[in-house]
């Protein structure tokens, strides 16, 4: 019998980086995500096959039960080694699944290109957690690390606010329905930023004013949710970008790449890659395509 699990992709709209230190961020689950299908076999192995959005296989390998049960983590950072590490943690949290099984054929299928940064890892971790019937936040904590907002998006079908309180995730469903979504777009910057290196840079630049910055982000997150018109929404984006630029000691994405753009542009997640949120009175596709950024997605086509 085949079992299938599904998780939503994610976009962090406010609070990037500071969410790691307790700031409240607005996060939006995406219409695109990843599923994981499980079939039982009798091989004492897991035959793992992962498909990209275009139908191509981007990873395929066999993992033995013994590799998962072995307490010694693989030292490499290959896809297989990373997968084994996640499965080792999952098995430690619920060893009964493998004990009571003879083997599996696993298929994963992304509905977004894996280089987009919409949550290839977080959707995988949440799907594995569903399969093993364990806590996805704890699985993330013990394997990849991170704030966990992406896991919260994987599990929810509405906008949420997310923050950490004493290391524990606080997830609240919120109403975020801007009346001006026809003016909102997501543009892919043609490269996926390494989250681990971006987080390391953030930690190295943190200042003594962290609490003050967190309070400012919390206020801006609330302002984002409550914004009723395009002008105020644009102003909030500009404030958020200036604050993060000061903290990270790097230029805003608009100043660095699109200084002549007539509208607002906000980095999302790890600055310097993945998607940006664009506010424009007119469809900005031609502007970005002319500059070599061909993936321009309307808000309503991206967000659940």
């Amino acid at each position: 019998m085949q079992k299938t699990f599904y998780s939503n992709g994610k976009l962090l709209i406010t609070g990037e980086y500071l969410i790691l230190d307790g700031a409240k961020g607005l996060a939006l689950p995406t219409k695109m995500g990843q599923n994981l299908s499980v079939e039982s076999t009798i091989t004492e192995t897991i035959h793992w096959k992962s498909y990209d959005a275009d139908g191509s296989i981007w990873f395929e390998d066999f993992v033995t039960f013994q590799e998962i049960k072995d307490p010694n983590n693989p030292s490499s950072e290959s896809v297989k080694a990373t997968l084994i590490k996640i499965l080792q943690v999952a098995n430690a949290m619920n060893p009964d699944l493998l004990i009571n099984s003879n083997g599996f054929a696993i298929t994963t299928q992304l509905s977004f290109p894996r280089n987009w940064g919409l949550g290839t890892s977080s959707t995988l971790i949440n799907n594995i957690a569903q399969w093993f019937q364990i806590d996805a936040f704890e699985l993330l904590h013990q394997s990849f690390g991170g704030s966990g907002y992406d896991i919260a998006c994987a599990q929810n079908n509405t906008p949420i606010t997310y923050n950490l309180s004493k290391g524990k995730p606080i997830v609240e469903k919120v109403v975020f329905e801007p009346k001006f979504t026809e003016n909102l777009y997501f543009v892919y910057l043609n490269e996926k930023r390494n989250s681990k290196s971006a987080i390391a840079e953030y930690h190295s630049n943190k200042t003594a004013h962290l609490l003050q910055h967190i309070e400012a982000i919390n206020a801006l997150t609330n302002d984002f949710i409550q914004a009723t018109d395009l002008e105020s929404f644009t102003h909030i984006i500009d404030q958020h970008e200036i604050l993060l630029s000061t903290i990270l000691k790097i230029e805003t994405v608009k100043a660095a790449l699109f200084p002549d753009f007539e509208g607002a542009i906000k980095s999302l997640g790890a600055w310097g890659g993945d998607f940006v949120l664009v506010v424009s009175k007119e469809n900005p596709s031609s502007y970005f395509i002319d500059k070599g950024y061909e993936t321009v997605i309307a808000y309503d086509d991206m967000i659940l």
Side-chain angles (χ1 to χ4, degrees), residues 90-163:
N91 182 62
M93 294 173 68
N94 178 17
D96 289 344
L97 188 136
L98 294 190
I99 290 172
N100 297 321
S101 304
N102 294 315
F104 298 101
I106 304 293
T107 302
T108 68
Q109 175 68 63
L110 288 163
S111 55
F112 59 85
R114 66 189 183 95
N115 62 339
W116 275 10
L118 291 183
T120 304
S121 300
S122 56
T123 53
L124 173 65
I125 286 174
N126 193 62
N127 283 337
I128 290 176
Q130 292 180 81
W131 173 31
F132 273 78
Q133 296 183 311
I134 56 177
D135 184 87
F137 291 101
E138 187 59 29
L139 178 58
L140 175 76
H141 176 68
Q142 293 190 38
S143 56
F144 268 56
S147 71
Y149 87 88
D150 44 7
I151 297 296
C153 282
Q155 298 176 353
N156 284 277
N157 295 324
T158 63
I160 60 170
T161 58
Y162 183 91
N163 66 287

Side-chain angles (χ1 to χ4, degrees), residues 176-296:
F176 180 67
E177 298 175 343
K179 297 177 181 178
F180 41 85
T181 55
E182 70 273 10
N183 300 113
L184 305 181
Y185 300 83
F186 296 99
V187 178
Y188 181 58
L189 294 184
N190 296 340
E191 63 176 301
K192 188 178 185 301
R193 183 77 202 275
N194 185 301
S195 296
K196 288 185 178 180
S197 63
I199 289 170
E201 290 172 17
Y202 160 70
H203 284 309
S204 69
N205 285 322
K206 279 195 294 192
T207 70
H209 304 293
L210 181 61
L211 182 59
Q212 183 179 343
H213 293 324
I214 289 173
E215 290 173 349
I217 288 294
N218 291 348
L220 287 168
T221 294
N222 291 332
D223 290 342
F224 257 88
I225 296 169
Q226 296 168 11
T228 57
D229 60 83
L230 195 63
E231 185 177 352
S232 60
F233 192 76
T234 299
H235 179 64
I236 297 163
I237 283 180
D238 291 339
Q239 286 184 298
H240 197 294
E241 286 290 277
I242 290 169
L243 176 59
L244 262 294
S245 176
T246 301
I247 294 170
L248 299 174
K249 298 181 174 61
I250 57 177
E251 281 188 302
T252 66
V253 68
K254 183 175 180 180
L257 299 177
F258 313 110
D260 60 338
F261 180 72
E262 294 184 8
I265 303 177
K266 187 188 178 304
S267 290
L268 305 175
W271 277 36
D274 300 336
F275 280 87
V276 293
L277 171 64
V278 172
V279 180
S280 178
K281 291 182 178 180
E282 307 292 336
N283 188 323
S285 296
S286 59
Y287 171 89
F288 289 102
I289 290 171
D290 287 346
K291 289 184 175 293
Y293 302 95
E294 297 186 353
T295 302
V296 182

